[in-house]
Amino acid sequence: MEKAIATIRTFNRFFTRHVGAIDARFLDSDANLPEARLLFEIARLEPVLASTLQAELDLDRGYLSRMIARFEKKDWIVRDQQAADARARPIRLTTAGRAAFDQIDSRQRAVVAQDLDRLDSVEQQDLLQALTRARLLLDPTSGGPFTIRPFRTGEVSQVVTRQSILYAASHGWGRPLETLETETVAAFLRDFKPDREQCWIAEIDGVMAGAIFLTDEGEGLARLRLLHVEPFARRRGIGDALVATCLQFARDKHYRAVTLWTHKILEPARRIYARHGFVCVSSDVHTVFGDPIEGETWRVALLP
């Protein structure tokens, strides 16, 4: 824990300095960073009430009132005069306020563009995904709606990596599981049949949030494999959506049934399978991952 705390504080110090968060004149403008952020929200939401700005920025009401007063003194904003209570008067930017905002906004865009220009396309994607993932980890509710799409180059290996890490942490399934999954996806890539098989990736704001595979087992039977949902993305219905996508593909390809292998202790996954019509048809205790554990074969019929 101490190392994690130190790592986050080190990054915070770096980023505070990098973006000029404590500069008296943010980006050499007539505002500090909190004032620049307030100016941005007014420009984005105008006409806007002070109470709305307080909620958006999570600011102390007195501190916000003092900033608004400074903006009025600089002739950056004007309040509508319809209500007697100042807090109920919508705030708008004046011409001078709009000019101040445009100056800060253009300078900030230029600084960010300069940062990105130093990186190649792969490094840019690494940065964007790292920043988005950090936001989702710290505030899972901040993400937009999830999407589901077919896999891209490199993502099959990422699925194995994430599943291996997650199951090692939650159930102690280490190298044997990673070996089994690596062999599974290697065969999937080597023998991939685009018209009969697929891997789907769930995304939130461009970050992998889960995955699922469907493979052709022959004689009209398909197999659902390697379903997982990232911890930050759970309770959004992603697992159900992935299974539904998998089954719809199987129906469209006229598979007669879909089977899968799971474990009795994986209750959340078992509940998803049951909701989509799968039933457990057999079970057996194995030691593939080390300690004895009860594995289960589930199946759903798609055609009479």
Side-chain angles (χ1 to χ4, degrees):
M1 177 63 76
E2 288 302 317
K3 183 177 180 181
I5 291 172
T7 298
I8 292 174
R9 293 183 68 186
T10 298
F11 178 81
N12 286 344
R13 290 194 298 273
F14 155 76
F15 199 64
T16 298
R17 182 177 65 254
H18 184 72
V19 301
I22 58 176
D23 293 350
R25 292 169 57 86
F26 179 61
L27 297 178
D28 200 30
S29 69
D30 291 331
N32 56 33
L33 182 57
E35 290 173 336
R37 176 69 195 282
L38 176 59
L39 200 61
F40 175 84
E41 294 300 335
I42 295 172
R44 182 173 72 91
L45 299 171
E46 64 175 344
V48 58
L49 296 176
S51 58
T52 301
L53 293 170
Q54 182 183 355
E56 285 287 326
L57 297 169
D58 193 23
L59 288 175
D60 173 77
R61 189 169 70 178
Y63 181 51
L64 176 63
S65 295
R66 290 190 292 274
M67 280 202 292
I68 289 175
R70 287 198 293 273
F71 281 11
E72 288 182 304
K73 189 174 181 178
K74 292 179 178 181
D75 192 32
W76 283 359
I77 61 171
V78 64
R79 292 178 185 265
D80 290 348
Q81 301 299 315
Q82 299 300 318
D85 186 348
R87 291 172 297 180
R89 298 175 186 167
I91 297 169
R92 300 174 185 270
L93 292 179
T94 63
T95 302
R98 175 61 62 178
F101 164 75
D102 289 342
Q103 180 191 65
I104 294 172
D105 187 57
S106 63
R107 290 179 182 178
Q108 194 165 27
R109 286 177 177 275
V111 169
V112 173
Q114 189 176 27
D115 280 340
L116 292 174
D117 284 343
R118 292 198 290 265
L119 307 175
D120 63 30
S121 60
V122 174
E123 290 173 325
Q124 287 184 16
Q125 287 303 309
D126 287 345
L127 176 63
L128 298 180
Q129 290 206 9
L131 293 176
T132 303
R133 187 175 180 83
R135 170 171 57 82
L136 292 170
L137 286 168
L138 293 172
D139 182 8
T141 65
S142 68
F146 67 85
T147 58
I148 295 176
R149 57 165 177 78
F151 73 103
R152 297 170 183 155
T153 301
E155 290 180 328
V156 164
S157 300
Q158 291 178 28
V159 173
V160 171
T161 298
R162 290 304 301 163
Q163 287 209 12
S164 299
I165 291 171
L166 292 172
Y167 279 123
S170 63
H171 295 84
W173 299 342
R175 188 176 301 170
L177 173 65
E178 187 171 5
T179 300
L180 178 62
E181 291 190 333
T182 300
E183 291 170 348
T184 297
V185 300
F188 172 81
L189 288 172
R190 182 181 60 246
D191 305 322
F192 181 49
K193 308 169 188 173
D195 60 332
R196 301 289 292 168
E197 302 176 320
Q198 192 54 265
C199 164
W200 293 273
I201 303 297
E203 278 188 340
I204 297 176
D205 296 348
V207 172
M208 184 186 294
I212 197 169
F213 290 71
L214 186 85
T215 58
D216 186 356
E217 301 296 292
E219 299 182 352
L221 182 65
R223 181 173 293 274
L224 185 156
R225 296 178 181 269
L226 304 182
L227 169 67
H228 95 280
V229 178
E230 290 289 334
F232 70 79
R234 291 171 186 169
R235 294 174 294 280
R236 286 173 171 256
I238 290 176
D240 278 291
L242 286 168
V243 172
T245 299
C246 196
L247 291 178
Q248 187 58 55
F249 180 88
R251 290 188 183 96
D252 292 344
K253 301 303 178 181
H254 306 294
Y255 281 103
R256 60 182 176 82
V258 178
T259 188
L260 63 88
W261 186 55
T262 187
H263 293 84
K264 191 171 183 178
I265 63 172
L266 300 180
E267 283 292 339
R270 294 170 82 249
R271 288 194 293 270
I272 291 174
Y273 301 142
R275 284 197 294 272
H276 290 270
F278 283 89
V279 295
C280 180
V281 296
S282 66
S283 64
D284 65 296
V285 176
H286 69 84
T287 57
V288 173
F289 305 147
D291 295 332
I293 185 172
E294 187 172 356
E296 297 177 334
T297 297
W298 290 53
R299 188 182 178 104
V300 61
L302 302 182
L303 296 175

